[in-house]
Amino acid sequence: MEELEWALADTLLSIQKGSHSEKWRKEITLNDQPLIKTVLSFIHEHYASELSLEELAKASRLSKYHFIRTFKEAAGCTPGQYVTKVRLERAIDLLRTTALDITTIGFAVGFGSLTTFERSFKKRYGCSVSHYRKSL
């Protein structure tokens, strides 16, 4: 079923060319690279804990600098930016499906402070976390 969803999304996004086209292609390429795929799995399993660049490089079995270069080339963003993206996606899920307070959600998804969570959320989604929750 997941493969069908990816194929459908690829078809729909390829019909209308735009700024999303290149990003979509990069995400597919990212999943096709075995070393990066291993790191992605590691990130998705451990996003709530403090993830260091050293840990991620170790999971990829590459040197730290080679890992950064390879990851950025494949993903179009740094490992840190990707970890933040995963944490924010999980936070959105928790905001939609639970009554947990915002501070608890921020710490539960791995942010070290409420300020960092708020700042990252606003940068990505264009509104504050509390405004987003009120709009649900």
Side-chain angles (χ1 to χ4, degrees):
M1 185 66 164
E2 186 177 330
E3 289 179 37
L4 179 62
E5 289 173 345
W6 277 99
L8 177 61
D10 187 31
T11 302
L12 292 174
L13 289 172
S14 65
I15 292 171
Q16 181 66 38
K17 297 290 181 202
S19 60
H20 63 274
S21 300
E22 183 60 29
K23 183 175 184 223
W24 176 251
R25 303 252 179 266
K26 279 192 182 288
E27 287 180 19
I28 292 171
T29 303
L30 179 67
N31 286 324
D32 292 339
Q33 295 191 17
L35 292 176
I36 300 303
K37 195 169 186 175
T38 301
V39 175
L40 291 179
S41 295
F42 185 83
I43 290 170
H44 284 273
E45 289 173 25
H46 300 96
Y47 67 87
S49 61
E50 189 175 325
L51 294 173
S52 69
L53 188 55
E54 288 77 18
E55 283 179 290
L56 297 176
K58 187 177 178 182
S60 72
R61 291 175 267 165
L62 297 171
S63 74
K64 183 168 60 171
Y65 300 105
H66 186 65
F67 165 68
I68 293 168
R69 243 187 340 267
T70 303
F71 192 95
K72 190 167 184 174
E73 187 177 292
C77 65
T78 67
Q81 290 168 333
Y82 189 83
V83 169
T84 299
K85 176 184 165 210
V86 170
R87 288 176 175 165
L88 289 172
E89 288 170 355
R90 180 65 182 134
I92 288 284
D93 183 47
L94 291 173
L95 287 166
R96 288 181 180 158
T97 60
T98 70
L100 293 172
D101 63 86
I102 292 169
T103 303
T104 303
I105 290 173
F107 286 113
V109 299
F111 286 98
S113 72
L114 181 59
T115 304
T116 304
F117 175 45
E118 287 276 356
R119 188 178 304 128
S120 298
F121 192 95
K122 188 165 188 162
K123 184 178 179 180
R124 179 159 177 94
Y125 298 109
C127 66
S128 69
V129 181
S130 56
H131 183 264
Y132 178 84
R133 176 161 259 177
K134 287 176 188 173
S135 71
L136 294 175

